[in-house]
Amino acid sequence: MAELTALESLIEMGFPRGRAEKALALTGNQGIEAAMDWMLELMAQKQREREEREEREALERERQRRKQGQELSAARQRLQEDEMRRAAEERRREKAEELAARQRVREKIERDKAERAKKYGGSVGSRPSPPTEPGPVPSSPSQEPPTKREYDQCRIQVRLPDGTSLTQTFRAREQLAAVRLYVELHRGEEPGGDQDPVQLLSGFPRRAFSEADMERPLQELGLVPSAVLIVAKKCPS
């Protein structure tokens, strides 16, 4: 009856029956105290293992947080370098266009001079030549029909949910995903530190861009040479 009494006593103390029977068996049925010591030590061991596991998980979460922070910093650096490169390319392009415009003006002046010399030939003070039959009036230099301009730059204005806006110039062949990345890096921190995913909408006509659209170039999406996009929080699927 000693084993039965010890088992019943342990059950009355709140220990599960199966654990109490195992404790009595593993301690050689030496009584309630020995069984209780075994179960308390088992509970303490499980508590230590749980604390160690939680500590490892916390260290892993911190490592992942630092890794993500480094990746975000590298992405910001690449974006800044891209912005500087685009600004330098824009300055070179504007300078080249200015030089080309000046050259066109000089060429037009030279053509006008040549036409006047051909039409009113002769130097000042020379005797007028006898009247001749009027000849055909020289036609003005033919002008080529205007061609549709190909844009290699795209100016995007992004309106954020808080009423502010961002403006940035992208290459026409860049994917829409570059605009979304720019927004996520510049829209500021949300309360709590987490950033909700965003969805890009066109201004007019209203259109929500899909994940497939993110891989398409801005030129193909009709956002060149300029466009206004609206940022909305992405609804969970």
Side-chain angles (χ1 to χ4, degrees):
M1 296 298 294
E3 290 185 15
L4 181 60
T5 301
L7 178 60
E8 291 177 348
S9 298
L10 291 171
I11 293 174
E12 289 179 356
M13 293 178 186
F15 292 104
R17 182 183 185 87
R19 185 176 299 176
E21 290 176 346
K22 184 176 182 180
L24 289 170
L26 292 176
T27 56
N29 295 315
Q30 296 180 7
I32 296 174
E33 186 173 345
M36 287 181 60
D37 289 343
W38 183 87
M39 287 189 288
L40 292 175
E41 176 61 26
L42 179 63
M43 294 171 61
Q45 180 180 355
K46 290 185 176 180
Q47 176 66 22
R48 289 193 299 270
E49 291 175 353
R50 182 170 59 253
E51 291 175 353
E52 291 174 357
R53 184 176 64 255
E54 291 175 350
E55 183 178 358
R56 289 195 300 269
E57 291 174 352
L59 290 173
E60 178 63 19
R61 286 194 299 271
E62 176 64 17
R63 188 183 69 81
Q64 291 295 333
R65 187 190 67 80
R66 293 183 179 181
K67 181 180 178 181
Q68 292 174 358
Q70 292 173 353
E71 292 175 349
L72 183 60
S73 177
R76 286 198 178 105
Q77 180 65 25
R78 288 194 298 270
L79 186 59
Q80 291 175 357
E81 292 174 355
D82 289 342
E83 290 175 355
M84 293 175 62
R85 185 172 60 255
R86 283 195 293 268
E89 292 175 354
E90 180 69 15
R91 288 193 296 270
R92 287 194 295 269
R93 184 182 63 80
E94 291 176 351
K95 185 175 181 180
E97 290 180 352
E98 181 181 355
L99 292 175
R102 291 180 179 177
Q103 180 64 25
R104 288 193 295 270
V105 171
R106 285 195 293 266
E107 291 175 353
K108 187 177 186 307
I109 291 174
E110 293 299 326
R111 287 197 302 269
D112 290 344
K113 287 181 179 180
E115 289 177 6
R116 286 196 297 270
K118 183 178 180 180
K119 185 175 182 180
Y120 307 108
S123 60
V124 178
S126 61
R127 295 180 60 183
S129 58
T132 59
E133 292 295 328
V137 178
S139 59
S140 59
S142 60
Q143 297 181 353
E144 297 180 357
T147 58
K148 185 177 179 181
R149 181 176 179 182
E150 291 291 337
Y151 294 93
D152 59 356
Q153 298 288 329
C154 176
R155 185 176 180 84
I156 299 293
Q157 183 185 56
V158 182
R159 295 178 181 173
L160 302 179
D162 60 2
T164 60
S165 62
L166 301 170
T167 302
Q168 180 61 27
T169 301
F170 298 88
R171 292 190 296 273
R173 294 186 179 179
E174 283 192 84
Q175 297 178 347
L176 185 58
V179 179
R180 183 170 64 179
L181 174 61
Y182 176 80
V183 172
E184 291 175 348
L185 294 178
H186 288 78
R187 63 174 173 156
E189 296 291 337
E190 296 285 346
D194 294 330
Q195 294 280 13
D196 294 330
V198 299
Q199 184 175 28
L200 296 179
L201 310 174
S202 62
F204 182 83
R206 182 60 62 91
R207 171 191 175 187
F209 293 102
S210 64
E211 284 299 322
D213 291 330
M214 295 298 149
E215 304 299 326
R216 298 174 62 188
L218 302 175
Q219 190 175 40
E220 183 178 326
L221 293 171
L223 303 178
V224 176
S226 64
V228 176
L229 300 180
I230 301 171
V231 173
K233 289 186 177 179
K234 188 174 184 180
C235 298
S237 57

